[in-house]
Amino acid sequence: MIDTDPYFAERKALLRQEALVQRDKVARSARADAAQQSARHFFDGVALEPDDIVAAYWPIRDEIDCKPLLTRLMDSGQPVCLPVVVGEDDPLELRLWEPGQPLYPSGFGTLAPAETAPLVEPDVVVIPLLGFDRLGTRLGYGKGYYDRTLAAMRKSPLLVGYAYAAQELEFIPREEHDLPLNILVCESGLRRFGA
């Protein structure tokens, strides 16, 4: 559902505050288990071809930890790339993380492959979320990095939201450029959206 509300930005800002509160309520003691369970659900429910490139992320703030997912992807030989912010209004660079190569600080508390790593277009994009709703609408931090990145891609990757179950919101308004998730993965399972 596309939103035409003139107060759209204000509504989204309030939803971001609500989502941060919801995410903060996830018990610290439960987070490591949630990360492991989410990685299991991803591998149980997301079909990957051996050469499919998976874009994941290095977690920041209180995002669900996707390092267990990254470890399993790398250990299985699946090609993985990580995002790098190169400019405030630019799409993310998606750099291939080649086996045995170190990661480096890349701003915002994240780690990424070196500047010399190959740039790739992934087949699957695992997106950290502030919130999501039952329609697969995703809520991010509001900077538009993933929106710009997805719009600039030549292919249409599978979009997989990665979050805690507690981050589900009742309804998130969607603008025309907001691509919905295909799949949501959280500690309680996997949910598919759309046709």
Side-chain angles (χ1 to χ4, degrees):
M1 173 189 278
I2 306 301
D3 200 287
T4 56
D5 183 343
Y7 299 103
F8 184 84
E10 289 175 34
R11 291 176 62 207
K12 281 282 230 3
L14 290 172
L15 284 172
R16 285 188 182 92
Q17 291 174 1
E18 180 184 342
L20 284 169
V21 168
Q22 289 298 104
R23 188 171 73 184
D24 194 47
K25 288 181 183 177
V26 177
R28 301 272 176 220
S29 59
R31 292 180 181 211
D33 281 344
Q36 293 292 340
Q37 291 167 358
S38 296
R40 271 193 301 278
H41 294 310
F42 179 93
F43 277 94
D44 288 345
V46 178
L48 296 174
E49 294 297 324
D51 60 346
D52 281 349
I53 299 171
V54 179
Y57 63 93
W58 196 264
I60 59 172
R61 304 177 188 162
D62 286 331
E63 291 172 346
I64 189 167
D65 188 355
C66 72
K67 290 189 294 257
L69 174 63
L70 283 168
T71 300
R72 284 190 64 180
L73 288 166
M74 293 295 285
D75 287 351
S76 68
Q78 196 75 44
V80 172
C81 64
L82 294 173
V84 179
V85 174
V86 292
E88 193 171 308
D89 297 321
D90 296 321
L92 298 165
E93 274 190 3
L94 296 168
R95 297 181 188 165
L96 189 66
W97 184 13
E98 297 173 292
Q101 294 301 307
L103 297 177
Y104 299 93
S106 62
F108 302 99
T110 65
L111 296 178
E115 291 179 8
T116 55
L119 300 181
V120 295
E121 282 202 2
D123 301 285
V124 177
V125 179
V126 178
I127 304 175
L129 306 171
L130 264 182
F132 63 94
D133 68 14
R134 63 182 176 77
L135 301 174
T137 306
R138 58 190 171 82
L139 182 67
Y141 295 106
K143 300 291 185 186
Y145 289 117
Y146 278 96
D147 293 325
R148 284 191 296 281
T149 303
L150 296 170
M153 289 178 64
R154 292 180 303 249
K155 58 172 103 169
S156 297
L158 183 74
L159 302 183
V160 180
Y162 216 67
Y164 295 108
Q167 292 175 250
E168 183 169 3
L169 300 171
E170 187 175 325
F171 175 75
I172 300 170
R174 190 185 297 174
E175 288 183 287
E176 223 172 289
H177 67 269
D178 289 329
L179 295 175
L181 300 169
N182 300 112
I183 296 174
L184 182 281
V185 175
C186 63
E187 74 277 17
S188 62
L190 181 144
R191 196 180 312 177
R192 296 182 189 279
F193 304 101

